[in-house]
Amino acid sequence: MTAAAERGTTTVSERAVRRIAERAVTEALPRRGASRATGAAASVRGGRAELSLGITLPYPAPLADTVREVQRHVTSRTGQLTGLDVASTRVTVTSLAAPRAPASPAAPQGDEGRTPRRRWSQRRVPVAVLTAPAAASCGALAFDMLQVHTAHRAAAPWRVGAVDRLSGHGPGDPAVVAVGALAALLGVWLILLAVTPGRRHQCTVRVPAARVEAAVDRSAVQSLVRHAVADVAGIGAVRVRVRRRRVTVRAGLCFGDRANTRDAVTSAARAALTACNLRRVPRLRAVVVPEPVWRPSLQPVREASCDPTPDRPDPVSARTPEGDT
């Protein structure tokens, strides 16, 4: 019988350990609500493993006792299923999930209960850029006029010079035309800021509660779609671009059938977008490109015995040399 050391070794990948730990989190608190892992990382060195988990706990729950229970269950369950020695398990509570109340039939159906398509920005930077110079100019002018009328002082040189300069220029002067063009461009810019919502990097999310607005960054949606597509078998590098109306997924195929893999990539990306619960679900475009290491699926090869063409004698071997009898 072959010795155990000569039969080979079994290697448990970090990805498998991470998936097992995430599943163990959902098993830890089956009676206290929906607890789930929001992020997990695993490090495997030889026969030892280290885990780091971010979890969402139901509210209300005693944090200290709950975290200790989750840590104990994840450590024992991961070690039992993988055969590794889990040296440490770090658990971080990232958020608390409140129980969802059933929708009330008397909820407002008008504008108060409608989720806006876009979140409007307060435009703090443009307002500050325009307000600061205007406030400084008006304040300086009011202060100078107050000194002239109350303290009977002469007008400030800058005000006298500005009045003399303006009186010497007409409507057709190049300086007046340039200033007017800049004022017109500034007005167009202000109109665009007033009619556009801004915050293009955010997407609104549907929420069941009234008068509550929620949004998610496009980078978060991009990360969720990329991780979902990367879990498809045969997919290597994944690039995702999230826009307001379209999500483009470009995945590299390392092995497997291209058509079937494209369907799986489309389904995974669409499921990730649906889970985001966006107010406006963007259109999805998935592209699967074979990598340089890709090999197509094996096709049935016809054997030589199935060739309907009859065997022909070799003209060289069938030729009779001259002089043979």
Side-chain angles (χ1 to χ4, degrees), residues 212-236:
V212 176
E213 297 182 7
V216 61
D217 288 345
R218 293 185 183 180
S219 58
V221 179
Q222 178 178 336
S223 179
L224 291 175
V225 174
R226 182 172 60 251
H227 288 314
V229 174
D231 291 338
V232 177
I235 293 299

Side-chain angles (χ1 to χ4, degrees), residues 18 20 28 62 67 80 84 91 93 101 110 133-134 157 167 191 206 238 250 291 314 316-317:
R18 175 171 56 85
I20 292 175
V67 169
Q80 177 186 1
L84 300 175
V91 179
V93 179
S167 62
I191 293 175
R206 295 181 181 272
V238 180
R250 187 178 181 87
E291 297 285 354
D314 189 359
V316 178
S317 59

Side-chain angles (χ1 to χ4, degrees), residues 48-72:
R48 296 170 58 88
E50 296 181 357
L51 300 175
S52 178
L53 299 170
I55 62 175
T56 298
L57 296 180
Y59 178 84
L63 295 183
D65 298 338
T66 305
V67 169
R68 280 195 294 267
E69 184 177 352
V70 172
Q71 184 179 21
R72 179 190 58 79

Side-chain angles (χ1 to χ4, degrees), residues 97-108:
R100 292 186 177 180
S104 175

Side-chain angles (χ1 to χ4, degrees), residues 20-47:
I20 292 175
E22 292 176 351
R23 181 64 180 177
V25 171
T26 61
E27 299 175 355
L29 304 174
R31 298 181 180 178
R32 296 189 180 181
S35 61
R36 63 183 184 273
T38 58
S43 176
V44 179
R45 296 180 180 178

